Amino acid sequence: MTTESASAPVGFIGLGKMGAPIARRLLDWPGGLTVCDVRAEVTEPFVAAGARSVLDPAQVATHARIICVTVVDDAQVTEVLTGPAGILRTAAPGTVVAVHSTIGDRTARELAARCAERDVEFVDAPVSGGAPGAMRGSLAVMIGGSAAAVDELSGPFGCFADLIVHAGPVGAGTRMKLARNLLHFISFTAAAEAQRLAEAAGIGLADLGKVVRHSDAVTGGPGAIMLRETTAPIDPDDFWFPILGHVRDLGEKDLALALELGDRLGIELPLAQLALTRLADGLGVAESALDKETS
């Protein structure tokens, strides 16, 4: 981060459930904060705390050199950037626009090209950690853009995030967020399946939830296995083979036991069945060392 970027004025567009707590972390930013939302009333607490409020994204761009956008979807992001009152109407060359909304990676690339025509730098910078993470300043930000933009943004992003990852060129931040949320929502679906099994077995769901949250906080949950650079099959001589082979063996045993319990209770567990058939291959240890030696 350069001395100039450490005091660059920041603009923030979109003060919804995620945008507002992120923007609040920027109220003390040395370069000042300009906010904008279609609902005038949500800007009032920011003005009371010292921020400037303006009516549209074009006015944000007259005051800010770094502009964060947290709106709902691709259409709104496109309107904020390229609409009649959009950022590109007034943005000065060298302005950096960071979109925290989760949009399509192709949309990100298309908007980056539009911005480049005006010498404005676009980055996709989706976040993970939810509103609680934003309030604590502990979000993860996944940036798709140039290394120079990452450096430019590190100061203001550091106000609301304690993990900033440069995922690659424009679009890469979005692709990383989609992979992360794939795990997130499949895990929710699996949690619902686990609750059905527990309920049928007479287990208290609230107590089960306590155990899951406690143990995931200790082990790291599903992310604990995301330590390799590739998903290719692991050679038996590799350091990771016995570690992930142990995960496979425990997983296959416990999944089989859960499926047997589900059969006895008349509960269908389609995700568990799929997990049993896919776990070993997914871990890269579908073939055991013994099998490989004797084949």
Side-chain angles (χ1 to χ4, degrees), residues 2 16 26 34 42 63 79 90 103 140 152 178 222 247 267 283 287:
T2 65
L26 291 163
T34 299
V42 303
H63 295 287
E79 180 70 14
T90 58
I103 58 175
E152 184 93 357
L178 294 177
V247 174
I267 300 299
L283 292 171
E287 187 174 24

Side-chain angles (χ1 to χ4, degrees), residues 2-11 29-33 63-66 152 156:
T2 65
T3 303
E4 184 181 359
S5 65
S7 59
V10 171
W29 178 248
L33 177 67
H63 295 287
R65 190 159 67 82
I66 294 172
E152 184 93 357

Side-chain angles (χ1 to χ4, degrees), residues 122-171:
F122 176 99
V123 304
D124 52 311
V127 298
S128 184
M135 288 186 282
R136 292 192 298 266
S138 58
L139 289 175
V141 186
M142 299 149 275
I143 303 179
S146 70
V150 175
D151 185 60
E152 184 93 357
L153 295 166
S154 62
F157 280 16
C159 295
F160 55 82
D162 59 6
L163 177 62
I164 299 171
V165 176
H166 185 193
V170 172

Side-chain angles (χ1 to χ4, degrees), residues 7 13 17 46 68 75-76 90 97 100 115 127 132 141 147-148 152 174 209 223 250 252 260:
S7 59
I13 300 169
K17 290 182 179 179
F46 289 89
C68 298
Q76 288 191 8
T90 58
V97 178
H100 300 305
C115 287
V127 298
V141 186
E152 184 93 357
T174 294
L250 286 178
E252 289 181 344
E260 189 274 331

Side-chain angles (χ1 to χ4, degrees), residues 34-279:
T34 299
V35 297
C36 175
D37 193 280
V38 293
R39 302 156 299 160
E41 67 274 12
V42 303
T43 68
E44 293 171 2
F46 289 89
V47 173
R52 176 191 291 112
S53 175
V54 297
L55 296 177
D56 58 47
Q59 291 182 53
V60 173
T62 65
H63 295 287
R65 190 159 67 82
I66 294 172
I67 303 174
C68 298
V69 178
T70 308
V71 293
V72 175
D73 54 22
D74 296 52
Q76 288 191 8
V77 172
T78 300
E79 180 70 14
V80 162
L81 272 160
T82 67
I87 291 168
L88 291 182
R89 269 194 57 211
T90 58
T95 299
V96 179
V97 178
V99 173
H100 300 305
S101 313
T102 301
I103 58 175
D105 62 323
R106 289 181 294 185
T107 299
R109 293 197 302 271
E110 290 164 4
L111 290 174
R114 295 283 297 275
C115 287
E117 294 170 0
R118 298 289 301 273
D119 198 22
V120 170
E121 184 146 19
F122 176 99
V123 304
D124 52 311
V127 298
S128 184
M135 288 186 282
R136 292 192 298 266
S138 58
L139 289 175
V141 186
M142 299 149 275
I143 303 179
S146 70
V150 175
D151 185 60
E152 184 93 357
L153 295 166
S154 62
F157 280 16
C159 295
F160 55 82
D162 59 6
L163 177 62
I164 299 171
V165 176
H166 185 193
V170 172
T174 294
R175 292 191 288 272
M176 182 177 285
K177 174 65 182 291
L178 294 177
R180 193 271 170 272
N181 276 10
L182 174 72
L183 174 61
H184 190 61
F185 291 110
I186 288 176
S187 296
F188 280 5
T189 309
E193 185 166 291
Q195 288 182 98
R196 289 198 299 274
L197 178 64
E199 188 172 48
I203 301 301
L205 300 187
D207 288 338
L208 174 63
K210 290 177 185 176
V211 171
V212 171
R213 289 187 293 274
H214 180 276
S215 55
D216 278 0
V218 174
T219 67
I225 69 162
M226 293 180 163
L227 299 168
R228 300 171 62 228
E229 296 294 329
T230 175
T231 60
I234 305 173
D235 188 273
D237 295 327
D238 190 285
F239 167 81
W240 288 110
F241 192 93
I243 296 171
L244 293 179
H246 180 63
V247 174
R248 173 203 62 202
D249 293 344
L250 286 178
E252 289 181 344
K253 173 181 67 70
D254 289 357
L255 284 166
L257 289 170
L259 284 164
E260 189 274 331
L261 176 60
D263 285 342
R264 282 192 284 118
L265 297 172
I267 300 299
E268 293 187 2
L269 303 172
L271 287 178
Q273 186 63 61
L274 186 62
L276 181 60
T277 61
R278 301 282 182 85
L279 179 62

